[in-house]
Amino acid sequence: MPGRILVVDDVATNRIILKVKLASAAYDVLQAGSGAEALKVAQRDKPDLILLDISMPELDGLEVCRRLKADHRTADIPVIMVTASNDSASKIAALEAGAEDFMTKPLDDLGLLARVRSLIRARGVAAELALREGTRQALGFAEPTSGFVAAGRICLVAADEATALAWRRGLQGKLHDKIEVHSPGEVLRNANGPKLPDLYVIAADLSRSNEGLMLLSELRSRQATRHAGILIAVDVDARMPATMALDMGASDIINLPFDFDELALRLRAQLARKRQGDRLRSRVRDGLQMAVTDPLTGLYNRRYAMSHLTRVRERAIANDRSFAVMMIDLDHFKQVNDTHGHAAGDEVLKTVAEALSNNLRSVDLVARIGGEEFIAILPDILPDAALSAAERLREKVCTAPITLPRKTGQAAPMTLIQTISIGLITDGGGPAGTHATLSELLDRADKALYNAKNMGRNRVVIKSSGQAAA
């Protein structure tokens, strides 16, 4: 089933008609004949969307919507208010109660299904972001939320500048956000700029019929604007453009000519959703970065490296290709800390990490897996080429003096030469069943590194062949 929908109406015939329409599109339909029953079903069954009639005895739809939005268990369920009244006051009341959309009876089948698809899709994206935020918090990266809310940026795009300026005048005093007016060409030319609008209000018909829908498609296809809120303005009797816009990714639809109170409410709701989405995406991105990155060197950490090595090994086996693993350790690193201090040790680690990263291929991965220990994972490489790469790393590190932080009272900064030892192993390219397990790979690399240390340091040892290079 693509989604579960709760239909709330005190008239059984209306519920049955809606159930038939939605079930034909493979939705799972729940029913409630009163406001009180709707609250119970919503809390118990957690539908993906609620179609809620405004006019009901005892507990009307507006009060039901307010209670749904005030309850943390149901607050994120989108609500479409349904009524026989098409007056402005009814729309405003529904939006102020927290409804995501408003439809008038008799319901247009195409419009109804388009709105249902759009809202369920948006809820799915929000739920995925919330799930990832929960993972981030479980990893220990929770942080307090700032109470500061910056002004939003809203871009108005109409068929001509005079119309867009009239829209802006109609919104004056209703919003505290920055409202800009741009042509379609300016919108696309600025689509990769540093300060992009949070929301766009675009007329479906610009210089040509449905040109606004093409602009919608362009904005949704571009990385920088794909998460922007986009409201498409359509003529009140234009059924098909509204349906097309929702299926193409419009955040909301609003009818022309504007009721500016309604437009302001819809813009505020979309800005809130945009901010929430941006905040969750930023936290997930930053949290995952913190979870897999070593904060000192900027390299990936052990957690990421082991997962990556697993995938490299599996792909090498599947494609009958060879790969290499280097265990890299800084020689006599304890002496650096003891002699020059931990600030100097940190500088050495960062400099060596940079040298390792800069002298491997872009497909190779370097990670810091311990205090002074690194790992390099090289996919799709033959043993001779892997040995040459290891030797290149060793030489680059030992021939580049490292400048240490100047201490208080020190006349000039000191430099030192740092060397590394490398245990190199290769695997893959053989018949099935001959590949080492992940544990065996790491054990072989550790033994090769141990041999390099015992043989005098500042050298590469290949465990599989016993070959060494100084």
Side-chain angles (χ1 to χ4, degrees), residues 151-433:
R153 297 171 66 93
I154 301 171
C155 177
L156 306 179
V157 187
D160 54 74
E161 185 179 11
T163 300
L165 290 173
W167 290 358
R168 185 166 68 179
R169 287 194 297 272
L171 288 169
Q172 283 180 353
K174 300 181 186 298
L175 297 169
H176 300 290
D177 307 289
K178 182 177 181 181
I179 301 177
E180 307 167 354
V181 170
H182 290 297
S183 69
E186 289 172 332
V187 168
L188 293 179
R189 284 193 295 273
N190 298 331
N192 294 316
K195 293 183 178 180
L196 294 172
D198 298 292
L199 299 183
Y200 296 86
V201 180
I202 304 172
D205 296 332
L206 297 172
S207 59
R208 299 187 304 277
S209 177
N210 292 335
E211 185 183 359
L213 302 188
M214 291 186 282
L215 180 57
L216 161 65
S217 180
E218 285 289 341
L219 292 172
R220 281 287 177 251
S221 69
R222 301 187 181 204
Q223 182 68 29
T225 54
R226 64 187 304 181
H227 298 302
I230 303 177
L231 282 75
I232 298 296
V234 300
D235 291 332
V236 67
D237 57 350
R239 295 169 52 200
M240 191 54 65
T243 300
M244 291 172 59
L246 288 168
D247 283 337
M248 292 171 67
S251 308
D252 200 358
I253 298 295
I254 186 165
N255 290 331
L256 291 168
F258 288 146
D259 177 323
F260 287 102
D261 289 329
E262 178 189 350
L263 177 58
L265 281 170
R266 291 184 181 272
L267 288 173
R268 279 198 287 270
Q270 290 298 327
L271 274 173
R273 293 186 191 114
K274 171 68 164 49
R275 290 181 180 118
Q276 175 71 357
D278 287 348
R279 186 160 53 245
L280 288 174
R281 273 184 286 270
S282 175
R283 288 178 179 176
V284 168
R285 183 177 58 249
D286 294 346
L288 291 178
Q289 188 73 9
M290 293 172 66
V292 300
T293 304
D294 171 52
L296 176 64
T297 63
L299 299 179
Y300 287 113
N301 61 18
R302 185 181 188 91
R303 177 189 297 181
Y304 186 93
M306 294 302 105
S307 176
H308 184 72
L309 178 55
T310 298
R311 292 194 300 273
V312 168
R313 175 182 174 274
E314 290 172 350
R315 191 179 70 171
I317 293 173
N319 298 330
D320 193 23
R321 304 295 294 271
S322 60
F323 66 98
V325 178
M326 302 180 199
M327 284 293 186
I328 305 166
D329 192 80
L330 276 61
D331 297 327
H332 303 296
F333 182 70
K334 184 176 183 299
Q335 294 180 11
V336 175
N337 282 328
D338 291 346
T339 303
H340 303 285
H342 288 281
D346 288 349
E347 185 63 30
V348 170
L349 287 169
K350 290 188 287 186
T351 304
V352 171
E354 184 177 5
L356 298 176
S357 298
N358 291 343
N359 288 283
L360 288 173
R361 303 170 300 173
S362 60
V363 297
D364 302 329
L365 180 136
V366 182
R368 183 186 178 197
I369 59 173
E372 64 266 27
E373 191 171 10
F374 299 82
I375 189 172
I377 303 168
L378 292 69
D380 297 329
I381 193 168
L382 296 173
D384 288 346
L387 176 60
S388 296
E391 274 297 334
R392 182 172 63 252
L393 294 182
R394 184 194 63 80
E395 184 175 356
K396 287 290 184 181
V397 172
C398 73
T399 57
I402 299 174
T403 301
L404 304 181
R406 183 181 300 184
K407 295 181 180 180
T408 303
Q410 186 177 329
M414 294 183 60
T415 62
L416 61 76
I417 295 294
Q418 178 65 55
T419 64
I420 58 174
S421 297
I422 301 177
L424 170 66
I425 61 104
T426 60
D427 195 74

Side-chain angles (χ1 to χ4, degrees), residues 104-122:
T104 306
K105 298 177 183 178
L107 299 179
D108 169 59
D109 292 0
L110 289 176
L112 169 65
L113 292 175
R115 281 171 167 80
V116 166
R117 287 191 296 269
S118 175
L119 288 172
I120 289 181
R121 181 171 61 244

